[in-house]
């Protein structure tokens, strides 16, 4: 089973259901990873960094064609205690005070983006709406001027395809190397500027963060910058795109949220369960283990299918139905345990304010003449092209 096959990318949920029913832990393509599809098994792996290691997948981010990828030095590929130390340092600069400082500015940015959308004719909502709000927010966080926002988007889009690069895909490898080099040069310049002239932004806060007198190293700072670029941008872009696609598919739901915007957080919770952007995360098995009744040898890589776990029939009755009133266990859109997404609250705030602005302007959305197009990635799923027309009445 190839998880990157075009029909699977268009709608992976039937395959996920088949995996849960018949082969909840099994090898899949590309790369022969072991897909883990049931909720309980996914949670078990996320709760236990040993024998299910994040650090063990570091080699994945250091292939021969790109040995210096900064994501290999990020929190994403660390286990405690190294992960605990780094997260504590980043938390000092990425706590609730950042959200309070940003909220009014995000509201203004969302209003500006939505006001610029034309009414009555199709435009690409990924470019015109879903990506613009998170890019503006990321620019505010790291002090990057609007003139470079398009470049940020391009870097993130190219590097997100890292997980789908084949050994013979020389053209894509070169595109990723070029984007990496450009982003690294720019982030090095930003870090150097903030050291000499601190500002009221996240990068200045990170440079000043201390725990027991210890600061982030240059390598750790660069790793976090890339983690923020890819994890903090692409996930929110795809979440917003999936939300507006849901509005187009269910006009009554859009009307209800226009009339009761206080329901938007509940809507987002169910969207994150039903159609969340993060579909898979990788772990390395550090010892022979049994998982889901299957023996998995030491050294193998697991692909935890969060999107499948969030539709597990054993946890969520009638899981394919979208239901904002749904009770049940915690869903897993942002992971679980020590690696729970650091930016989860920021992503929720961005999405809430962006949807509030969109619903205040448009009464309904209709699909253009062309179908939506989806990205190619084992980790994140969402539309890359979404032609919609917004209508005022």
């Amino acid at each position: 089973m190839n998880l990157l096959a075009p029909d699977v990318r268009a709608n992976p949920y039937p395959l996920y259901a088949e995996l849960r029913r018949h082969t909840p832990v099994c090898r899949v393509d590309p790369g022969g990873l072991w897909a883990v599809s049931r909720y309980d098994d996914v949670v078990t792996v996320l709760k236990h960094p040993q024998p299910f290691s994040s650090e063990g997948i570091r080699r994945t981010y250091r292939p021969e064609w790109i040995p210096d990828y900064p994501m290999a030095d990020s929190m994403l590929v660390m286990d405690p205690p190294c992960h605990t130390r780094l997260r504590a340092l980043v938390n000092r600069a990425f706590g609730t005070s950042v959200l309070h400082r940003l909220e009014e500015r995000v509201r203004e940015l969302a209003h500006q983006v939505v006001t610029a959308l034309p009414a009555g004719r199709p435009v690409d909502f990924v470019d015109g709406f879903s990506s613009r709000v998170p890019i503006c927010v990321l620019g505010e966080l790291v002090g990057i001027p609007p003139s470079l926002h398009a470049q940020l988007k391009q870097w993130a889009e190219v590097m997100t395809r890292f997980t789908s690069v084949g050994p013979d895909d020389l053209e894509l490898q070169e595109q990723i190397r070029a984007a990496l080099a450009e982003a690294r040069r720019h982030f090095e310049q930003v870090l150097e500027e903030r050291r000499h002239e601190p500002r009221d932004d996240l990068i200045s806060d990170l440079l000043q963060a201390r725990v027991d007198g210890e600061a982030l190293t240059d390598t750790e700072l660069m790793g976090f910058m890339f983690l923020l670029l890819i994890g903090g941008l692409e996930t929110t872009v795809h979440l917003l795109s999936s939300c507006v696609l849901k509005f187009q598919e269910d006009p009554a739901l859009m009307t209800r949220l226009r009339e009761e915007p206080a329901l938007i957080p509940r809507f987002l919770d169910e969207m994150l369960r039903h159609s969340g952007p993060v579909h898979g995360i990788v772990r390395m098995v550090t010892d022979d283990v049994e998982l889901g009744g299957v023996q998995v040898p030491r050294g193998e890589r697991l692909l935890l299918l969060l999107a499948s776990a969030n539709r597990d029939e054993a946890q969520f009755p009638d899981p394919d139905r979208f239901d904002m009133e749904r009770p049940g266990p915690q869903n897993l859109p942002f992971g679980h345990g020590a690696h729970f997404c650091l930016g989860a609250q920021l992503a929720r705030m961005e999405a809430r304010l962006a949807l509030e602005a969109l619903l205040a302007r448009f009464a309904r959305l209709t699909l253009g003449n062309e179908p939506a197009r989806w990205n190619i990635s084992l980790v994140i799923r969402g539309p890359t092209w979404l032609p919609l027309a917004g209508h005022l009445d």
Side-chain angles (χ1 to χ4, degrees):
M1 290 171 285
N2 186 348
L3 296 183
L4 292 182
D7 59 328
V8 175
R9 297 317 300 157
N11 181 11
Y13 296 103
L15 176 59
Y16 292 167
E18 184 178 343
L19 292 176
R20 291 193 302 271
R21 284 193 298 268
H22 303 297
T23 52
V25 179
C26 67
R27 284 191 184 275
V28 295
D29 283 328
L33 290 87
W34 292 76
V36 182
S37 53
R38 289 180 180 170
Y39 182 96
D40 286 344
D41 294 332
V42 169
V43 170
T44 294
V45 174
L46 291 174
K47 281 184 174 180
H48 298 93
Q50 294 297 332
F52 306 111
S53 171
S54 298
E55 192 161 343
I57 66 170
R58 181 168 290 177
R59 72 181 189 187
T60 303
Y61 289 95
R62 284 180 174 152
E64 292 183 1
W65 56 272
I66 184 170
D68 60 345
Y69 192 30
M71 289 286 282
D73 299 304
S74 71
M75 290 187 295
L76 187 69
V77 291
M78 290 184 182
D79 294 327
C82 294
H83 175 270
T84 306
R85 167 194 162 273
L86 187 55
R87 189 173 179 112
L89 280 163
V90 173
N91 268 333
R92 291 295 178 93
F94 208 70
T96 55
S97 62
V98 173
L99 300 185
H100 293 314
R101 186 171 66 192
L102 273 177
E103 180 159 356
E104 189 55 38
R105 179 59 177 152
V106 174
R107 183 176 283 108
E108 294 173 3
L109 291 169
H111 176 75
Q112 292 171 12
V113 168
V114 170
T115 301
L117 288 170
R121 62 180 178 84
V123 294
D124 177 18
F125 261 60
V126 176
D127 180 65
F129 171 71
S130 304
S131 65
R132 289 187 185 268
V133 175
I135 287 172
C136 289
V137 173
L138 181 60
E140 291 283 321
L141 279 174
V142 300
I144 292 176
S147 60
L148 288 176
H149 286 181
Q151 196 69 53
L152 277 176
K153 181 174 181 289
Q154 181 185 2
W155 293 338
E157 287 177 347
V158 171
M159 286 186 286
T160 299
R161 299 190 64 188
F162 183 91
T163 58
S164 61
V165 181
D168 300 322
D169 196 345
L170 302 183
E171 182 178 352
L172 181 54
Q173 291 176 14
E174 180 55 36
Q175 289 177 9
I176 293 175
R177 281 194 296 266
L180 166 63
E182 290 179 7
R184 183 194 290 276
R185 283 194 298 270
H186 180 74
F187 289 148
E188 286 174 346
Q189 180 181 346
V190 171
L191 288 168
E192 188 63 23
E193 289 174 352
R194 296 304 184 276
R195 283 191 177 96
H196 292 93
E197 297 182 16
R199 299 183 188 176
D200 187 19
D201 59 24
L202 178 63
I203 301 307
S204 299
D205 292 345
L206 286 171
L207 286 166
Q208 296 169 21
R210 300 289 187 276
V211 171
D212 297 329
E214 190 175 4
L216 290 162
T217 67
D218 288 350
T219 299
E220 290 166 344
L221 282 164
M222 188 60 65
F224 181 75
M225 297 278 278
F226 274 81
L227 182 60
L228 186 63
L229 171 64
I230 297 170
L233 182 57
E234 286 294 290
T235 52
T236 310
V237 169
H238 291 315
L239 172 60
L240 287 172
S241 293
S242 296
C243 287
V244 296
L245 186 58
K246 183 66 177 175
F247 290 161
Q248 180 269 320
E249 296 169 346
D250 190 346
L253 176 60
M254 184 174 180
T255 299
R256 183 185 178 191
L257 293 178
R258 273 175 58 87
E259 295 172 350
E260 300 180 75
L263 295 178
I264 291 176
R266 190 186 301 174
F267 164 77
L268 286 169
D269 282 343
E270 179 65 351
M271 278 299 301
L272 286 163
R273 183 203 68 83
H274 184 270
S275 305
V278 180
H279 274 232
I281 57 177
V282 181
R283 293 290 184 269
M284 178 75 75
V285 178
T286 59
D287 202 353
D288 296 346
V289 295
E290 179 179 311
L291 183 65
V294 176
Q295 293 294 324
V296 182
R298 175 182 179 180
E300 295 290 338
R301 290 179 299 161
L302 304 177
L303 178 66
L304 308 182
L305 295 174
L306 300 189
S308 174
N310 283 331
R311 292 203 190 189
D312 190 336
E313 300 82 353
Q315 301 292 336
F316 305 97
D318 195 7
D320 294 330
R321 179 170 58 88
F322 187 91
D323 181 6
M324 291 199 304
E325 314 302 325
R326 180 184 299 278
Q330 176 189 15
N331 65 65
L332 304 170
F334 296 109
H336 187 83
H339 280 272
F340 182 80
C341 177
L342 192 65
Q345 291 187 13
L346 176 61
R348 289 179 186 275
M349 182 189 75
E350 286 182 53
R352 171 175 58 84
L353 296 175
L355 294 181
E356 284 180 3
L358 184 75
L359 291 166
R361 175 165 168 76
F362 294 122
R364 57 191 176 92
L365 299 171
T366 57
L367 195 62
N369 293 328
E370 300 180 55
R373 294 198 294 262
W374 298 83
N375 72 328
I376 301 174
S377 171
L378 290 173
V379 176
I380 298 172
R381 178 177 182 267
T384 58
W385 168 259
L386 190 55
L388 295 172
H391 303 275
L392 304 179
D393 56 347

